[in-house]
Amino acid sequence: MSLFNVFDISGSALSAQSVRLNAISSNLANAEVVSSSEESAYRARYPVFSSALEFAMDDQQGVGVQIDGMVESSMTPRKEFSPTHPMADEEGYIYMSNVNSVEEMANMISASRSYQSSVEAMNTTKQLIMRTLNLGR
Amino acid sequence: MSFVDQAFGASPQALSILSKRSELIAANLANADTPGYKAKDIDFRSALAAAKNERAGSMMASDKMHISNSAIEQSIGYRNPTQPSMDGNTVETDREHAAFMENSIRYQASLNFIDGKIKSILLALRGE
């Protein structure tokens, strides 16, 4: 019955969006991390979504989401002149993370909206199944 | 069996099409952030017309490697986006929400029709 597939599909979306929320909270938590070289500076991480095609063979047209991997932002970390900082290099520079907090907040809103719409789809489907089970009562 | 089929009219076929459609729309909502995903939907009119003709006995896919020729799956098409996005994703979450809501109301309407039929058949059988 196709209605039960909705739980698989929406469930995959919930787990994908929660991985995204995890990445966002990690980015926000590390936004103020300072390091003493450009290579070791924290870089923002983002999940890459793709359609989970293994479902598609199974007489099922709707496909769920899966996470293909994580990518690191390629933006160059911010360099600041602060010779008194304990992490400063020989020239007196510290390297901040390349996380853009405003971007992360917008990303978080988008992720939580997507999470909400999948939850709503699951709730509605549950009601439909319960009503189908109660036919003729 | 034919009595039951006639009593319920097109509602059972409508229910199976509508449940397939809710699966597709849930997949569209799930893939709202997937780059390159193309939103799908069912043309209800042609799916119902084909499902009515299918009753007489047609070929079926008995293995998951078979290409399905079911009426519902032949009526699946891709949605025309009004605002295509840069990453090739054609899901418009607002439209999908509206479609999902509309679909679930139609499903409940079909359930109500079947429920009414069941109740009237039971009434006739009891003769109270």
Side-chain angles (χ1 to χ4, degrees):
Chain A
M1 191 172 150
S2 326
L3 275 184
F4 285 106
N5 294 338
V6 172
F7 292 115
D8 292 345
I9 294 166
S10 295
S12 75
L14 292 191
S15 76
Q17 297 296 345
S18 66
V19 169
R20 188 171 163 206
L21 279 171
N22 266 333
I24 293 166
S25 61
S26 150
N27 292 345
L28 282 173
N30 287 287
E32 302 300 325
V33 166
V34 171
S35 69
S36 47
S37 73
E38 194 174 319
E39 292 74 46
S40 59
Y42 181 85
R43 283 155 203 275
R45 274 155 217 197
Y46 302 105
V48 181
F49 287 1
S50 72
S51 301
L53 288 171
E54 75 263 27
F55 284 114
M57 291 299 282
D58 208 24
D59 185 33
Q60 185 175 328
Q61 288 284 332
V63 291
V65 205
Q66 66 186 15
I67 303 247
D68 265 1
M70 307 291 285
V71 288
E72 283 196 336
S73 162
S74 56
M75 244 164 37
T76 44
R78 207 169 73 241
K79 196 176 170 186
E80 239 172 55
F81 185 64
S82 170
T84 53
H85 197 282
M87 296 289 278
D89 62 5
E90 310 84 70
E91 291 162 13
Y93 284 104
I94 54 170
Y95 298 85
M96 314 289 286
S97 74
N98 66 353
V99 178
N100 181 344
S101 306
V102 180
E103 209 173 272
E104 297 299 330
M105 295 302 275
N107 212 350
M108 184 180 75
I109 295 169
S110 162
S112 76
R113 296 290 291 174
S114 301
Y115 194 97
Q116 278 174 20
S117 56
S118 289
V119 170
E120 203 181 300
M122 277 170 114
N123 250 333
T124 311
T125 308
K126 182 190 138 208
Q127 281 170 15
L128 291 183
I129 291 176
M130 291 313 290
R131 287 210 52 192
T132 314
L133 287 175
N134 283 328
L135 268 185
R137 292 248 172 105
Chain B
M1 195 61 199
S2 67
F3 166 70
V4 176
D5 276 352
Q6 280 166 14
F8 293 146
S11 295
Q13 283 96 333
L15 278 186
S16 72
I17 296 169
L18 290 169
S19 64
K20 190 76 189 171
R21 185 161 183 242
S22 79
E23 180 199 321
L24 283 182
I25 299 174
N28 291 346
L29 281 170
N31 283 288
D33 299 313
T34 309
Y37 179 83
K38 308 290 179 211
K40 289 182 217 159
D41 202 356
I42 286 180
D43 178 14
F44 188 80
R45 181 196 294 265
S46 70
L48 190 61
K52 277 185 187 161
N53 295 331
E54 207 176 37
R55 231 188 266 174
S58 53
M59 289 196 294
M60 57 179 277
S62 54
D63 187 279
K64 68 175 180 177
M65 300 299 280
H66 290 170
I67 293 175
S68 173
N69 68 338
S70 81
I72 298 176
E73 277 166 34
Q74 282 171 4
S75 314
I76 294 176
Y78 290 99
R79 189 160 274 164
N80 256 340
T82 46
Q83 289 176 307
S85 62
M86 288 283 281
D87 61 0
N89 186 306
T90 63
V91 180
E92 284 156 359
T93 319
D94 324 349
R95 273 176 86 185
E96 301 298 337
H97 265 145
F100 194 84
M101 204 164 63
E102 182 219 319
N103 195 57
S104 71
I105 290 171
R106 285 184 193 279
Y107 190 95
Q108 296 196 33
S110 290
L111 282 184
N112 278 344
F113 292 142
I114 292 182
D115 205 35
K117 278 290 177 195
I118 291 175
K119 292 228 165 79
S120 51
I121 290 171
L122 284 178
L123 197 69
L125 287 174
R126 285 202 195 104
E128 284 165 354

